[in-house]
Amino acid sequence: MYFAALLARTEDGWEASDTELDDVETLSDLADLAREASPDEDTVLVLIEQEDAWFGVVRVDGEEDPRIYVSDAAAAARSSYGEILLTDELLGRDPDDGDVLDALDLDGTEDGESDEEDDDAEDGAGIAGAADVPHGPVGDALILDDLGVSEKELRLMATDAVTEIAESLGASETLETVR
């Protein structure tokens, strides 16, 4: 079970909207969804929380690249929604690293046959190579600093983090309308 909401900062305060992530496949899709929530290019926060296991914040400021924070990368890696946030860049990976070798059939299997090692590497993980995904937070821990949520506060949040963030922003009543 997950909860996702958009919080758009306007001249009148924060506006919240519930959002479905079923049609979102990439970070670009998510950023576009956030930009649509604020035609004036104001700050938009995408808050995602999954079963108190992890939460993520994506911040979109106009046409700038989105900024991301994920509270527990390893937990998020087991989620299809976490896959959207855990980009190669966020995890410090070279996106081209290993692609050439992966394309070659060096394991001796025929097309369509599975390799046990590949199966083991994928077990319980939503993204390929999840074994090298760190436990704990990744991303920009200063993502909300200018909005009143310090790095320390963000890192200490665990259960019901979306509600805590909204309270810190003064948007808890607004968020509750879409929860």
Side-chain angles (χ1 to χ4, degrees):
M1 175 105 173
Y2 79 96
F3 174 74
L6 296 172
L7 283 178
R9 187 165 69 175
T10 67
E11 291 178 6
D12 300 325
W14 292 96
E15 291 181 8
S17 58
D18 187 12
T19 188
E20 283 293 323
L21 300 179
D22 295 341
D23 295 331
V24 175
E25 295 179 8
T26 66
L27 181 59
S28 294
D29 293 343
L30 188 60
D32 290 343
L33 182 69
R35 287 184 184 103
E36 289 171 12
S38 179
D40 296 331
E41 297 190 3
D42 291 320
T43 298
V44 178
L45 302 175
V46 181
L47 304 173
I48 302 169
E49 186 172 57
Q50 188 155 12
E51 299 175 349
D52 291 330
W54 67 275
F55 71 92
V57 179
V58 178
R59 179 176 177 161
V60 178
D61 293 302
E63 291 300 317
E64 292 182 28
D65 288 340
R67 295 167 55 194
I68 305 164
Y69 176 82
V70 176
S71 66
D72 187 337
R78 294 184 296 271
S79 161
S80 59
Y81 304 113
E83 286 181 347
I84 296 168
L85 305 181
L86 296 175
T87 63
D88 287 331
E89 181 180 343
L90 188 70
L91 296 172
R93 294 182 185 158
D94 181 359
D96 297 325
D97 193 23
D99 286 348
V100 174
L101 290 178
D102 289 343
L104 297 174
D105 183 24
L106 299 177
D107 63 3
T109 62
E110 295 295 324
D111 288 342
E113 289 184 35
S114 68
D115 179 38
E116 288 180 30
E117 290 179 23
D118 289 344
D119 292 345
D120 291 344
E122 296 288 331
D123 283 349
I127 60 176
D132 62 345
V133 174
H135 290 276
V138 295
D140 184 355
L142 296 173
I143 193 169
L144 301 173
D145 195 57
D146 65 323
L147 299 174
V149 181
S150 71
E151 175 182 1
K152 181 179 179 182
E153 291 170 316
L154 190 62
R155 289 187 188 271
L156 290 175
M157 291 180 186
T159 58
D160 210 20
V162 168
T163 301
E164 287 185 51
I165 290 169
E167 285 175 7
S168 296
L169 299 175
S172 58
E173 288 181 24
T174 304
L175 181 68
E176 284 304 313
T177 63
V178 298
R179 202 177 257 281

